[in-house]
Amino acid sequence: MAKPVLHGPGFSTYVRTARLALAEKGIDYDLNEFNFIADGVPADHLARNPFGKVPAFSHGDFEVYETVAIARYIDEAFEGPALQPADAAGRARVTQASAIIDSYAYPSAITGVVIQRVVVPMMGGEADEAVIAEALPKAAQALGVLNAMIGDRAHLVGDALSLADLHLVPVYDYFRQTPDGQGVLADMSGLQRWWDGIAARPSVTATTPQLG
Ligand SMILES: N[C@@H](CCC(=O)N[C@@H](CS)C(=O)NCC(=O)O)C(=O)O
């Protein structure tokens, strides 16, 4: 089978989740990078993903977009350590955590805070404080739920690293670097302990994004 290709820039949170899964499985792949912020979305990417979002993934003739689908495919189609629990309940928790991140954590912590605090100023604009103020309580709620889900364990689901952890790493990593994020996360000891345990993994350090 051909070498897989992941399409999208390394600074994207969702591209990073797919890269984390590829790295954890030990899969050799090509990264087809483009900067959709500076240059827009190339036409060939729109053919891969009609919504113009990143990432998309190609493996031979098989093409797929949506990060949860890409990550599951990477886990299930390749050799390497399993990134989902064997039981149905554990898998449901992985899907649940990923859906919470997609539906509540990403829109508040990334779109509402990180984009305003980091990306807008990088592009020469000014952060919209009203957008940040509206997003912060929503980010606190979403991350609070995930903090409770971790409890005193080392991983979001069960006792092993899973796709749920890999879904959270990019969102948490950007958010924790903003002053607003630091305020929200200050009391979340479960997530802090989780981050301390996961931050030194080779997959995490190798995919640390370079912004700017
Ligand atoms: N539901 C999509 C969301 C992907 C997504 O929002 N990616 C962001 C980058 S992290 C993106 O493509 N943003 C470009 C845009 O919104 O125009 C997935 O899970 O893959």
Side-chain angles (χ1 to χ4, degrees):
M1 185 62 108
K3 190 172 170 184
V5 184
L6 183 67
H7 308 272
F11 62 73
S12 147
T13 53
Y14 283 111
V15 170
R16 191 178 184 195
T17 288
R19 296 185 74 201
L20 286 163
L22 287 157
E24 290 290 343
K25 298 293 279 191
I27 299 165
D28 188 24
Y29 67 100
D30 288 324
L31 184 63
N32 170 25
E33 288 207 79
F34 52 86
N35 187 337
F36 62 80
I37 297 178
D39 307 324
V41 178
D44 64 340
H45 188 72
L46 282 174
R48 273 186 215 101
N49 181 342
F51 300 102
K53 303 277 184 184
V54 295
F57 185 74
S58 312
H59 186 209
D61 291 340
F62 179 65
E63 300 226 324
V64 62
Y65 62 87
E66 286 301 317
T67 305
V68 282
I70 294 169
R72 273 187 66 173
Y73 178 78
I74 290 168
D75 188 32
E76 292 170 11
F78 296 88
E79 299 294 321
L83 297 175
Q84 299 170 90
D87 62 306
R91 285 182 182 232
R93 288 275 177 251
V94 170
T95 306
Q96 182 186 23
S98 302
I100 290 168
I101 293 160
D102 287 347
S103 302
Y104 309 110
Y106 180 92
S108 54
I110 299 296
T111 308
V113 178
V114 173
I115 300 284
Q116 287 299 324
R117 202 52 94 205
V118 181
V119 179
V120 169
M122 222 172 63
M123 304 296 287
E126 212 170 290
D128 186 331
E129 296 296 336
V131 170
I132 294 173
E134 196 187 333
L136 272 175
K138 296 177 182 170
Q141 186 195 15
L143 290 159
V145 165
L146 297 167
N147 184 58
M149 193 182 253
I150 289 195
D152 56 7
R153 289 176 297 102
H155 300 287
L156 264 172
V157 177
D159 295 328
L161 181 85
S162 78
L163 295 178
D165 299 298
L166 306 185
H167 222 77
L168 182 56
V169 162
V171 173
Y172 185 94
D173 196 7
Y174 272 141
F175 190 56
R176 77 181 177 89
Q177 294 181 62
T178 65
D180 319 84
Q182 283 155 20
V184 165
L185 297 168
D187 294 333
M188 299 192 186
S189 59
L191 281 178
Q192 287 170 16
R193 196 173 14 76
W194 166 83
W195 177 251
D196 289 346
I198 209 167
R201 287 183 85 88
S203 66
V204 176
T205 55
T207 58
T208 298
Q210 308 297 325
L211 261 186

